[in-house]
Every structure is written in C-alpha cells, then in structure tokens.
C-alpha cells in the first residue's frame, strides 16, 4: 500500500519525528521498520538519522519516494549504490525475501550512522575510461586527504600522439576521505573539478578550485588503473530494463551531469545575531532584482547540458517553501522508479 | 524571453561595455630599474636612459616622455643622439646597434626602432675584432665611426648601416703614419674614445687604451698629430675652440694637451692627479667647460684616493678655487653637462650637471652659488626608502591641494630655483581631469605625497612619523658631518637611502580623508597615528593610548618585536600633517587594516590578534575585540617567525637584492650590525633553498578549517551608516572581516555634534557572519536602496547630490578571496553570489568600487567592482548583480610583489610596482586616461656649417612657430601652477582662456 503526504521542505524536523509520523500514517505504532528512499540516481538509501533524513528531504524533486520494511524481514543488501538501477528486481527482493534464499546474504549489521561519503556519478554520460567522483566533506571530520602534482599525459590529437601537461593525484593521506572511498588513487589524472576542465590551468589554480569546492568536491579523473572501471550497465546486460538510455549521447566527456546536485549544501553560512545562537543564513526569496541571476544559472545549464531538456519545474522548486512527498509501499512488478542520472537540480 | 538571452550576448550591454571599459597600460612613473646608459641631445634638449632590460626612455619637458624596448632585452651600453636629428643610436651588450627615431604620427611623436645592425668582421676573425667600444656619430649625420677592441675604426653609413670598407681606419694605417719607434701594434689596441674636432668636422681625435692619442685627418687619411701619455687612457674631451683637449686616465690623473699646427709630437701642458698623492681610482669621464671669466669648469667622475675613499661614487666639479666632490649613495652610471649649444657662442658657459646614478637622477645647478640640487619634476626615486604600502585619493579639493603644496614647498627650500633644464619637446596632452594624490608609505616611517594627476609623478610633500618615537639612531649621525676643511671635499647629494634605522617604523596602512584633512597612518609595530593638517609649525604633546587586543585571552606570549618607545613631552612638528593621537596595539603586531571616519571622529584598526575602535575626538578607546582562535599560536610569533606571509618574505628578498646591490660598493660604516644582518639573510636564503629542495612540487587539497593559522588576522574594516538591527532605523556601524571568513558587525552610538564631547561613543556587537568556505574576507561594502555603494564620510556634506537612499533596503556585499556574496540587511539572508575561485581557480587579491563613465554619453556612469586576482588578471564585475563584465591580463602571476602593490583609483585607473622604483599606471576606463602625448619638433638649425639638410631651413621655419606655441604653453603651465597655489578664480580664468585659444 502507499500513502502520500506533504512535508515542509525548509523545516523537515528531526528524524525521530519523521519516524513517528510514518508509524502514525501507517498505523503501525509499535512495529520496528527500516526506512529507505530513492535518491536521484535511483539508489535505495536508508534513512536512520537526522543527516540522511535531511539529505533525503533536500533531494525531493519534488516527490520523495520512501520505502519502509519491517526490521525483522529486512533485506540489507537492497541498500546501497545503484541498488535500484542495477538490480533488475529490487522491489521484488524487498518484498519477497524468500527469493534470496539461493544466495544467502551475510548480514553484518545495518550501519547506524549512515551517511554518504563518496559516490561515482554520471557513469552513463562519461566515457568508460573516466570516473567522476563526488566526495562529501560536510558532516565528517575526516580530512579530504590527498595531494596533487603536475605531470604529463599522452593524448590523441589530430597530429597524432602528443604529450600534454596534466594534473595528477600524487598522494593519498592514510585515513583521509579520498583514501577511504577507494575511488581515487595515486597517479589518477584529474580532468575536471566540479565540471570545469583543468586543462590549461596551473597546479595552483587547480588547488584553489578544489579547495573552493572542498565542501562538495566533484573530481573527474582518468584512473591510472583502468581495469576497475565501472562497466556501463546499459551495454553489458539488458538486465536493467533501461534500454532507453542507450540512446543517450553517452560518450560526451564534458557533460555536467549531476555536478550541481548538492550545490546549496556548501552554502550554509552562519549568522549570530546579537550574540545569540548561531543560525544558518537563509536564502532570500527571489525578488524581481535577482531574476537576472537566476536566469544566468539556467542559461549556464542550457549551454552545457548537451541536449537534455531542462525541467522548468526544477527552478520553481528552488525557492518553494514546502515539498510534497510521495510515499509508497511498492507492489511486485510495478516499475515505478524513473532513473535518470542526468537530471540537473539546483 | 529575457531569461534565455545569454549574458554575454546582450547586444545593448555589449555596446555599452565597449563605451565603458578599455584596458591600457599608460605610463611608467618613477625611476627606471637598473639604468645602464645615458644620452643627451643638446639640440633636442632630450635625455635618454637605457636599462639593463633593454628599455630606452626619453625625457624632455615635464610630460614629454617616450619609451622603447629592444626586442633582445639586452643591456643598453651606450646611447648617442645623431647631431641635429630626431634620431639616436643605441649599443647593446650583444654588440648590436639600433637606430631609433622620433616620428610624428597622428599628431603626436612616437619613438620607433628603424634599423638594427651588428658589425661583422671577415670570416675567421675573433669576436673582439668587431666588438664596439666607442661610437661617434659624425656631425655630417651621414656616418657613424665605430671604435673596436681590435683597434679598427669602422665607418658605417646612416641610416642604412652599410659598412664603408674603404674608409676603415686600421691600426696599421695609423702606425704607418706615425714616425715613432716606441709605438708598436699593441699601442693601437682597443679604441677608448673617439671625439670629433669641435670646429673642423674633417678631424677626429682617436684615443687608444694604451695612451696613444691620434688626431686623424679624415680627408687625407693621415695623422695630423699624435700624443703619447704614460697612463692607460679612460676618456677624452675637446676644449670648445679646438686648441686643446683633455685626457683622463686609469691612475686618477688628467692631462691637458695643446693642438698646434707646428710640432707633431706634443708634450702635455699639465698633468694633474686631483686627489693625489696616494694612489687614486680611475677618472672614467671628464668635461672641460670654458666660461667668460676665464676659469674653466673641470668636471670628472671618479679619481678618489683608492685606500680611504675608493668605494665612494663621486663626481667632482673644479672651478677656480671651488671644488666639490658630489657623493652619491649609489653607483654613477653616467653624467652630462648642459651648456650653451649655440655653436656661435664663444664659451661653454655650463648651467647644469646631470648625473644618472643607479638609483636616482641628480641635477646640480652650476649657475647658482653653492651649486644646489634641482628638484626633478619626474624620475622620482620612489624607493628612496622601500615602499611598504600605497593609497590613492581621487579628486582632491583645491583647498587641501594648496595646503599640501604649501607644506611641501617649505621642505624644498634647499633646492635650486632654476627651471628644469631638460625641456625639449612639447606636452600636448590635455590637462589632467582632476587632482589626484598617491600616498606611499615607506620602510623608514615616512609617507610621501605624490601628484598623480598627470604623466609626471611629482613629489609634493613628505611626512615623517619618526619624530613621535624614540629611536636608537642619532638624528645628527649622517655623512655630512665633515667639516669645511675636509679633503676630499665630499658633499652628499640625492635622496636615495636604502638603510632603515628601525624596521618597526615602517608604514603599513594609510587613510586620508580629503574633505577634512584628517590622515591616519598605521605601522609595523602596531602604531596608529591620527593627524591633522596644520599650516604652521607647532609644538605639542601627542596623546597616547594603548589598545590591548588580547584582553581576556590567557596563555599567549608575544615573541615578536617590542613596541616603539614614545617621546615624552611636547614634540616640535613642521607645517603639514601633525599627529595628535597615537594608539599602540598590544601585542605590537603589524597593523593589517585601518579605517577612519572623519565625521564620527573614529578610527578603527586591526592586527592579526583583533581590532579596536578609538574615538579621536574624546581620545578614548571605545572597544577592542580579540579575533584570535585559541589554537592559533603562530599569530603570536611576530614578524621574525619563519611562517610568514609570502608577501613579507618576497619583500624581504627584494630588499636583500637591493641591499646587496648597493652595499657591495657602499661604505663600510655601520659596524657589525650590517654584517650580522647579512649573515642572517644568508642563513635565511639557505634555509629557504633547502626547504624548496625537500618539498616535492605537490599541493595539499584540504578544506579550510577554523584551526588554520592566522584566521584571526583582520583583513578589512569598514564604517557604514546602515540598517543593522531593524529596517526602520539606521545607525552608524563598524564592520570587520577576518582571514578565517568571519564578518563582525558592531552597532555604534555616536553622540550628536552638540554633545559629542559629553557622552561616550558606545559600541555593541550586532552580528557575526561565518562564511562556510572560510576564505579570507578582503572587502565589505554596503549598497544603498538604489544599489549604489554608500558614500564616503563627509562626501554628502560636500556634494549633496550624492546622498544615499536610506528608504529602500540596504544590501551587504562581502568579498572573500573566493566568492562575492550579497546579503540582505538588516536580516541577513543570502541573495546572490559569484563563486570566482570555484569557476576559475583564481583568488581575489584587491577589490575596489570604481566609477566608469561612458566615452560616448557624458551623463552615463555606473559603479562596478574592479578586482585584481592572484593570477594578475583584472576583472570588472557589475554591481549589484555580480556579473563578470570583462577580464584583462595585467600583471604576470609570478610577479607577487607587483600584485601585492596594486592600488585602484575611484575612477578605474590603477598603479602597481614593476620594480622597487617604478609604478606602472594602467587604466580600465575609456574616459579617464592619463598617458603621455607630446611632440618633439626639429628646432631651428642655427649652425651655418651644418647645412647638409636640404629642406632644413624651411623645415625649421615651420617648426619654430610650433615651438613658440609650445613655449607659450609651458609658460602658462607655470602660471597655472602658481595660480593653483593662490586662487581658484585665477585658475578658472586661465583655463577658460586656454580653452578659448584652442
């Protein structure tokens, strides 16, 4: 069964309250449940603390799909990256755990303090030799923990092979965010920082760009080790049921993709008024004056997204005071989830 | 529809941008870095200076300047003007010759390189065969004589630089014609000097290094005379009538030789070692100038006693019984004498001695008693003491301008009243649109006020803050303590002094209120001085207060320098800006930001520890705020810490370079202290080098955190009358931004004028904004209801049309190194931003609001942000929408000191240091452009024996009329300057007549 209700986007409240609300809406006050949601990449991710709850609310677009399952018959393996896209039948797995008996899962435990620390994004629009990694610095005390250096790489140009200067990862700090993700390695060549190509820029410029984006750093690299590349699912098997995607111009390297996804998360400047409590600085409601700036952002997308139609809705949501949430308990065979890794949100 | 227009493709805006913005580097102010050659044309009355970097600069009357650059960037060794032509030849250290000429183009003269040439010997000959050592442009203007290391003298045709091989004067040919047994092939090696006979263009005097001097007849290819000295030859000079010449030598002697037609081998008339009898240094150049009273002037460079004064850079002038050795603080590059250029005149009658030293230009008036120096209108040595900061004030009210000039004129009484003797060319640039002041702060605690309105950066007034403090240096301890009878009769000239008594005196921040004449300066040891302009000398006590910026913080210990000691009791100050309040920050760290509000009578100052507000009316500290983060220990280390800003260490290395350049030849005085400093410097170098070798070229990627060092460093302070607490009442406020991305806002209560002395000024913290990206805050600005930046203090009182809109809602613009952000006020919510670093990888170094006027329509102007980035680019960003308008590369990104020194003006111009002694001026505006525009005409050819130029006479007739007109303008220029000092009405009258005349 599914329910649909609305929540105020700007004041999502605490996870506890939300959990209570879910139990209330479903009239299951004493049943322990696992709560999950699908993020914009179609991943089924858990909601079990304030952080990922707020994150979930902020990704509502405008709908947020929430899944709940009883804790006792939960399938933990359903969670994680690409769960909703790679697995053909996530939903049936969730609903019918007995399907899984052929391949018993070792359940260690559900991570209690779940937070994303990194992700590979835009797999579908980048060449297979490239990898776009997002490092989520906010909310963790871990240092980003890597160094970059100058170097040279070989490129295929109209004049044959040419050596061109490039920027490379020179060192990973043990225990740092970069190392812990396992997505970046020494000698990976850095191609873009938050969607901006680094070619022609000096080491210091690239350093400054990375530091300026450090709260939401998205690095596109050409991994030194090309054997572990993510193989694009639409090519390897038809299992994803997303054959429609193959029509996408998937080899364009400079796609913006999801680069703007978490744009605002790093903008939480803090104000202390009259020596009171620190508060986050809100965004001013757009007035006629700021329309120009808004249109500028849109135009930026228009020029960079290579044929994807911008959703006009998104910009409106940008400042909407509340969001509505779609809430459903999936039914077998229902192909409910749309997956489009190329959606741009503000 | 509008939202789909690309920002870069709005045709209306694009057209407007073309009318508003334009980038030009317009003129270089100051003294050329590393000068290497000097030339002068008595005919054009122009002086040329060549530099080690291959630049050549021509100067004439104030405002007449030209610049050229040799492609090779090689050192300019020699400069020779072609007689009676607008042409000159330069010799570079790669042995190439270049012909430059001044040609008129579009109504103004331009300096262009016409030809280049390198002398080539026969195949297989050594390079020394053609290494040019002496150049003589012949008065026929058709040929150049080139003396070489091999002793050959080549003749090349002008302007084609074709070698006339049949006219080459070889050593063999010379020796054949000298019936002398003790002359051999070696006597004719290396031509040191070539001089044309002053009366007979067919004779030239050839001086070989080994003291053989030959008077050569060009027509008949024979030696008329030869003269054999005993000492190695340095240079030669003819007496005006051609009856004698003088030679100077390596042993510090000079010799006069008679030239008579009867005897073929002459004995010297007189041989003198002026600073003997002990061994002396070489005299490298000498002039012999005749006068009406019969006593000649003998002027020479060098010749000092080797042992005791061998390290002095001197030029001696001997005139009868008068003798002075002018003593320069830096090496003498070259010098020339300005004398009567009329060939018909009987005597030289010298009027001025012009000396190019390595660090300054000195002109000595030889006509006035005591030979005083002439105050140069340009080529000022900006770096007399190293520049530590600069501040520009546009559009100075006439009254203040006059008062500063008058204060300055009292300081210049020891200068000669002689008009500037190098006065060739005519300045045809329009009068500067307004009076602009550039203030430079120096390491020795002085502030210099420069007239930056026009092409000539001219020193108006010099202010010293030293008098307020007790320093170790004895003010009487200088080099002029020598008595009357001292020998040699040395006299120190020039202003260049690379030695700073106490680095704590250095000026770091300057703020001048042009309406009230209040000036605030702040320095290296946490000193903040507030001054007032007084037209009279005065003696008074400076009120003294201390601001403890650490307040309640425990456990910190300042490891840096001590605070400056102050003088007790009244201090005598000369007319000009006189300090009346001194605030000393504790710890005495360098003052990093300063703001003055002349209407509220408040001064705010910040260091790396915090900031404070001082009421200079009641002379009371209003409050202090500590910004130090508990973990930041580095902030306590003081200026001796190794962990210092890059800027600092760069300046140090600059200073080191300069010192080593000077000190190697400088006197040994000063004792052990100097050598200690040198040792420390050497150690510092070594350490830095080691550090560089160890660190691999890689960069750490890490988010900024609150624990970073120097987060408490106060980068900017700003006063604003705005809506801080609620939207109905505005109030005075003080804003401060730190290195850690924090903005503090204080609400101020300033009592009304009638109770200003009775009630205290109160302050209360109202807001604190923490930018999450934590980049240093480099600018804070409040925009009024019309999105116009708030006016300066007292600006409204002086110009009512500018009063801010206090009805609409105000906005706060915070500029960090990485982002521009607009917030609403009084409730702070973010409205707009531009993430510069995230997009472009560059950081903001300097930002100012500039007003740009359209060159097409007079009534349109707009305010934009002028931004200099760490890459040396200049960007213009619109207000209030923060859209990038245009970007220009300006400074090389490696030139860190250039970027650090940049100042913008309020009308879209700017200055930055291209060397320790030179400001480059640039303009971003189409409307406000200060650049040299001048004409150099061929003056009338007065000589009767130089009529090679066929169209010469008619040319001259035409030119002379232009010249007259130029003379008029020069006169009116002086008149105007005089008028500026006296009456605005007169000025207006003159202006109107000038405009009518055009």
């Amino acid at each position: 069964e599914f329910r649909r209700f609305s929540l105020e986007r700007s004041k999502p409240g605490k996870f506890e309250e939300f959990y209570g609300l879910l139990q209330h809406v479903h009239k299951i006050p004493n049943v322990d449940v696992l709560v999950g949601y699908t993020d914009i990449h179609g991943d089924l991710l858990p909601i079990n603390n304030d952080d990922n709850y707020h994150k979930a609310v902020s990704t509502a677009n405008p709908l947020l799909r929430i899944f709940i399952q009883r804790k006792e018959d939960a399938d933990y393996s359903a969670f994680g990256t690409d769960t909703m896209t790679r697995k053909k039948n996530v939903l049936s797995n969730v609903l019918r755990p007995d399907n899984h008996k052929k391949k018993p899962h070792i359940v260690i435990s559900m991570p209690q303090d779940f937070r994303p620390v990194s992700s590979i994004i835009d797999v579908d629009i980048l060449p297979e030799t490239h990898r776009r990694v997002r490092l989520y610095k906010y909310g963790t005390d871990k240092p980003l923990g890597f160094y970059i250096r100058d170097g040279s790489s070989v490129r295929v140009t109209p004049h044959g092979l040419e050596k061109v200067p490039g920027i490379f990862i020179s060192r990973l700090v043990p225990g740092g965010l970069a190392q812990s993700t396992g997505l970046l390695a020494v000698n990976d060549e850095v191609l873009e920082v938050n969607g901006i190509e680094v070619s022609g820029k000096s080491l210091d410029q690239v350093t400054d760009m990375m530091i300026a984006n450090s709260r939401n750093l998205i690095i596109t690299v050409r991994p030194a080790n090309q054997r572990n590349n993510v193989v694009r699912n639409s090519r390897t098997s038809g299992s994803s049921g997303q054959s429609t995607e193959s029509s996408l111009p998937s080899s364009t390297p400079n796609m913006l993709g999801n680069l703007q996804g978490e744009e605002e998360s790093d903008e939480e400047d803090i104000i202390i008024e009259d020596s009171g409590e620190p508060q986050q600085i809100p965004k001013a409601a757009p007035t006629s004056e700021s329309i120009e700036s808004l249109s500028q952002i849109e135009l930026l997308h228009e020029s960079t997204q290579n044929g994807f139609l911008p959703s006009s809705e998104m910009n409106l949501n940008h400042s909407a005071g509340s969001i509505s949430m779609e809430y459903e308990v999936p039914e077998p065979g229902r192909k409910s989830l749309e997956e489009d890794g190329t959606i741009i949100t503000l | 529809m509008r939202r789909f227009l690309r920002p870069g493709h709005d045709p209306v805006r694009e057209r407007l941008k073309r009318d508003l913005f334009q980038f030009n580097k317009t003129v270089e102010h100051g003294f050329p870095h590393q000068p290497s050659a000097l030339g002068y044309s008595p005919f054009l009355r122009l002086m040329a200076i060549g530099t080690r970097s291959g630049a050549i600069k021509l100067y004439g009357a104030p405002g007449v300047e030209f610049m050229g650059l040799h492609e090779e960037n090689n050192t300019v060794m020699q400069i020779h003007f072609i007689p009676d032509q607008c042409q000159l030849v330069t010799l570079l250290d790669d042995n190439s010759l270049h012909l430059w000429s001044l040609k008129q183009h579009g109504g103004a003269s331009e300096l262009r390189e016409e030809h280049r040439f390198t002398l080539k010997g026969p195949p297989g000959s050594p390079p020394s065969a053609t290494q040019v050592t002496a150049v003589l442009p012949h008065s026929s203007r058709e040929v150049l004589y080139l003396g070489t290391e091999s002793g050959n003298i080549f003749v090349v045709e002008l302007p084609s630089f074709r070698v006339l091989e049949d006219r080459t004067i070889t050593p063999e040919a010379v020796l054949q014609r000298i019936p002398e047994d003790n002359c051999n092939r070696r006597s004719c090696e290396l031509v040191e000097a070539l001089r044309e006979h002053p009366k007979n263009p067919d004779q030239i005097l050839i001086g070989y290094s080994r003291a053989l001097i030959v008077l050569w007849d060009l027509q008949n290819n024979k030696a008329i005379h030869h003269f054999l000295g005993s000492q190695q030859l340095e240079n030669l000079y003819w007496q005006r009538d051609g009856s004698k010449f003088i030679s100077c030598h390596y042993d510090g002697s000079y010799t006069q030789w008679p030239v008579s037609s009867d005897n073929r081998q002459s004995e010297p008339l007189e041989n003198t070692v002026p600073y003997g009898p002990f061994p002396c240094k070489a005299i490298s150049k000498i002039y012999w100038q005749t006068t009406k009273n019969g006593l000649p002037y003998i002027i020479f460079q060098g010749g000092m006693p080797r042992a005791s004064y061998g390290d002095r850079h001197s030029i001696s002038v001997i005139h009868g019984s008068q003798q002075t050795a002018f003593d320069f603080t830096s090496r003498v590059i070259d010098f020339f004498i300005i004398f009567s250029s009329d060939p018909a005149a009987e005597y030289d009658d010298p009027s001025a001695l012009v000396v190019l030293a390595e660090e300054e230009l000195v002109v000595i008036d030889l006509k006035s008693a005591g030979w005083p120096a002439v105050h140069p209108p340009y080529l000022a040595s900006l770096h007399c003491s190293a520049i530590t900061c600069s501040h520009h004030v546009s559009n100075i009210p006439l009254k203040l301008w006059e008062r500063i000039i008058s204060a300055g004129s009292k300081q210049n009484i020891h200068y000669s009243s002689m008009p500037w003797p190098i006065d060739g060319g005519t300045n045809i640039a329009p009068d500067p649109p307004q009076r602009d002041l550039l203030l430079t702060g120096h390491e020795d605690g002085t502030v210099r006020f420069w007239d930056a309105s026009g092409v000539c950066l001219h020193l108006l007034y010099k202010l010293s803050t030293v008098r307020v403090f007790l320093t170790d240096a004895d003010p009487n301890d200088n080099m002029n303590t020598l008595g009357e009878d001292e020998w040699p009769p040395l006299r120190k000239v020039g202003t260049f002094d690379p030695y700073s008594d106490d680095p704590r005196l250095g000026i770091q921040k300057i703020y001048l209120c042009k309406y009230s004449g209040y000036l605030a300066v702040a320095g290296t040891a946490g000193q903040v001085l507030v001054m007032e302009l007084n037209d009279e000398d005065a003696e008074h006590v400076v009120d003294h207060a201390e601001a403890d910026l650490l307040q309640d913080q425990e456990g910190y210990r300042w490891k840096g320098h001590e605070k400056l000691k102050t003088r007790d009791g009244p201090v005598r100050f000369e007319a000009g800006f006189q300090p009346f309040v001194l605030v000393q920050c504790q710890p005495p760290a360098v003052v990093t930001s300063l703001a003055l509000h002349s209407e509220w009578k408040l001064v705010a100052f910040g260091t790396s520890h915090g900031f404070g507000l001082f009421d200079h009316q009641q002379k009371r500290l209003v409050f202090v705020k500590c910004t130090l983060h508990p973990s930041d220990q580095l902030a306590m280390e003081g200026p001796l810490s190794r962990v210092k800003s890059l800027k600092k260490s760069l300046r140090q290395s600059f200073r080191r370079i300069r010192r080593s350049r000077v000190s190697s030849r400088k006197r040994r005085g000063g004792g052990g202290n100097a050598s200690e400093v040198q040792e420390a410097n050497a150690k510092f170098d070594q350490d830095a080098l080691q550090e560089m070798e160890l660190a691999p070229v890689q960069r750490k990627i890490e988010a900024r955190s609150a624990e970073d060092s120097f987060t408490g460093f106060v980068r900017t302070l700003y006063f604003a009358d705005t809506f801080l607490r609620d939207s109905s009442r505005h109030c005075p406020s003080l804003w401060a931004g730190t290195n850690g991305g924090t903005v503090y806002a204080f609400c101020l209560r300033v009592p009304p004028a009638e109770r200003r002395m009775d009630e205290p000024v109160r302050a209360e913290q109202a807001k604190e904004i923490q930018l999450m990206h934590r980049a240093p805050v480099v600018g804070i600005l409040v925009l009024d209801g019309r999105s116009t930046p708030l006016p300066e203090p007292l600006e409204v009182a002086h110009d009512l049309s500018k009063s801010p809109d206090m009805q609409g809602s105000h906005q706060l613009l915070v500029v960090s190194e990485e982002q521009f952000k607009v917030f609403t006020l009084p409730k702070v919510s973010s409205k707009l931003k531009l993430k510069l670093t995230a997009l472009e990888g560059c950081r903001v170094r300097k930002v100012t609001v500039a007003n740009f006027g359209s060159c097409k329509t007079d009534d349109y102007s707009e305010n934009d942000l002028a931004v200099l980035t760490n890459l040396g680019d200049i960007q213009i960003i619109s207000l209030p929408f923060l859209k990038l308008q245009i970007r220009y590369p300006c400074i090389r990104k490696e030139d860190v000191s250039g970027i650090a020194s940049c100042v913008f003006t309020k009308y879209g111009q700017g200055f930055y240091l291209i060397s320790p002694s030179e400001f480059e001026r640039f303009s971003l505006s189409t409307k406000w452009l200060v650049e040299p525009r001048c004409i150099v005409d061929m003056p009338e050819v007065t000589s009767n024996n130089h009529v090679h130029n066929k169209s010469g006479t008619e040319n001259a007739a035409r030119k002379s009329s232009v010249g007259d007109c130029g003379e008029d303008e020069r006169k009116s220029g002086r008149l105007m300057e005089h008028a500026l000092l006296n009456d605005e009405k007169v000025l207006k009258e003159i202006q109107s007549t000038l405009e009518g005349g055009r």
Side-chain angles (χ1 to χ4, degrees), chain A residues 66-80:
Chain A
I66 303 282
F67 297 84
I68 65 169
Q69 350 173 8
R70 267 179 212 278
K71 217 164 203 171
E72 47 265 39
D73 49 43
D75 172 17
Y76 296 104
S77 68
F79 290 105

Side-chain angles (χ1 to χ4, degrees), chain A residues 137 143-150 170-171 196 201-205 207-215 263-264 266-274 281-284 287 289 292-293 295-296 298-299 302-303, chain B residues 2-7 697-704 725 765-773 787 811 818-819 821 823-824 826-833 835 837-841 843 870-871 881 883 893:
Chain A
K137 165 71 182 142
L144 285 170
F146 66 101
Y147 290 71
I148 57 173
R149 63 165 171 90
D150 277 317
S170 62
R171 193 173 133 205
I196 311 234
K201 292 200 159 62
S202 70
L203 183 64
D204 287 333
Q205 271 177 286
T207 306
D208 285 339
M209 285 166 71
M210 286 187 173
I211 291 174
N213 285 305
S214 56
R215 308 225 135 233
E263 165 70 25
E264 294 313 316
D266 65 332
E267 291 307 305
E268 293 146 0
D269 296 340
I270 288 170
I271 173 107
I272 303 172
E273 300 262 4
D274 293 328
I281 294 179
K283 271 201 85 73
T287 62
E289 273 179 291
E292 222 173 321
S293 78
S295 63
Q296 188 188 5
E298 282 177 71
L299 291 163
E302 190 186 42
S303 57
Chain B
R2 189 179 163 204
R3 29 191 310 209
F4 294 106
L5 277 174
R6 286 178 166 217
V697 188
Q698 58 175 5
R699 296 282 182 274
K700 187 178 183 179
I701 306 299
E702 208 45 76
R704 297 170 201 269
R725 283 245 167 82
Q765 181 165 341
K767 290 185 198 309
E768 179 180 333
I769 300 170
Q770 176 60 55
L771 302 176
M772 282 316 272
H773 64 284
S787 297
Q811 298 171 67
E818 293 184 353
Q819 300 189 7
K821 293 192 124 174
F823 299 96
T824 58
K827 171 145 177 54
V828 175
S829 49
S830 66
K831 198 167 176 186
L832 266 182
K833 64 169 175 279
K835 295 170 78 173
T837 310
L839 289 170
E840 301 187 23
R843 277 174 291 145
N870 65 327
L871 304 179
F881 298 120
K883 286 212 250 171
K893 68 171 183 238

Side-chain angles (χ1 to χ4, degrees), chain B residues 859-995:
Chain B
D859 52 349
Y860 183 81
S861 75
E862 64 176 47
N863 289 309
D864 296 279
L865 291 173
V867 176
L868 176 74
T869 72
N870 65 327
L871 304 179
D873 285 348
I874 287 179
Q875 310 201 348
I876 296 172
I877 290 168
S878 72
L879 278 177
F881 298 120
L882 303 182
K883 286 212 250 171
L884 175 64
Q885 299 299 301
I886 210 149
R887 178 197 352 242
Y888 307 105
C890 179
I891 312 176
R892 283 180 313 114
K893 68 171 183 238
E894 296 81 14
D895 183 5
V896 183
S897 66
I899 292 173
S901 66
C902 178
V903 283
F904 287 109
T905 77
K906 289 232 150 35
Y907 295 93
Q909 297 200 24
F911 303 85
Y912 66 92
L913 287 174
I914 48 176
S915 73
S917 57
E918 285 166 290
F919 272 117
E920 173 79 58
R921 186 187 193 115
F922 61 86
S923 172
L924 302 166
S925 162
T926 51
K927 206 172 176 182
W928 304 86
L929 206 67
V930 172
E931 59 184 342
R933 193 171 159 78
C934 37
I935 287 186
V936 173
D937 279 310
M938 298 266 286
E940 195 173 348
V941 181
T942 45
S943 127
N944 36 17
N945 55 351
H946 296 339
V947 272
H948 304 272
N949 194 343
K950 284 162 223 136
S951 59
T953 32
E954 68 180 271
N955 225 349
R958 184 178 63 81
K959 298 293 161 60
S960 69
S961 66
V962 180
D964 286 347
C965 160
E967 190 58 39
D968 276 348
E969 269 184 39
R970 262 206 298 284
K971 266 188 207 141
S972 65
R974 277 198 291 277
L975 244 176
M976 272 173 65
E977 198 179 305
H978 186 69
L980 276 171
L981 284 163
N982 289 305
D983 194 356
E984 193 162 22
K985 250 193 230 161
V986 178
L987 171 76
K988 278 184 181 152
E989 263 175 44
I990 293 168
Q991 259 173 346
S992 65
T993 51
L994 272 177
E995 272 155 21

Side-chain angles (χ1 to χ4, degrees), chain B residues 736-753:
Chain B
T738 72
N739 229 22
T742 312
V743 175
Y744 300 96
F746 280 75
C747 189
L748 308 178
R749 213 186 60 80
V750 182

Side-chain angles (χ1 to χ4, degrees), chain B residues 531-607:
Chain B
M531 314 194 199
E532 212 171 2
L533 191 53
N534 186 348
D535 299 324
E536 303 295 331
D537 290 12
E539 189 165 341
H540 59 81
V541 177
V542 178
D543 275 283
H544 177 217
E546 210 161 88
D548 179 11
L549 295 176
L550 288 182
Q551 274 178 308
D552 327 317
Q553 305 280 331
E554 292 294 321
Y556 284 110
R557 204 171 64 81
W558 170 249
K559 298 176 193 158
H561 51 224
E562 284 173 28
K563 69 169 187 175
L564 284 160
K565 289 196 185 70
T566 53
R567 264 178 217 281
D568 298 326
V571 184
R572 179 145 199 95
F573 296 102
E574 59 179 22
F577 287 92
Q578 297 173 347
F580 62 96
V581 158
L582 166 67
V583 183
Q584 286 186 293
C585 298
Q586 202 50 260
V590 48
V591 176
T592 54
S593 55
L594 181 72
L596 177 78
H597 202 292
S598 42
E599 196 175 348
W600 303 336
K601 309 262 196 280
L602 297 172
V603 62
F605 45 88
T607 72

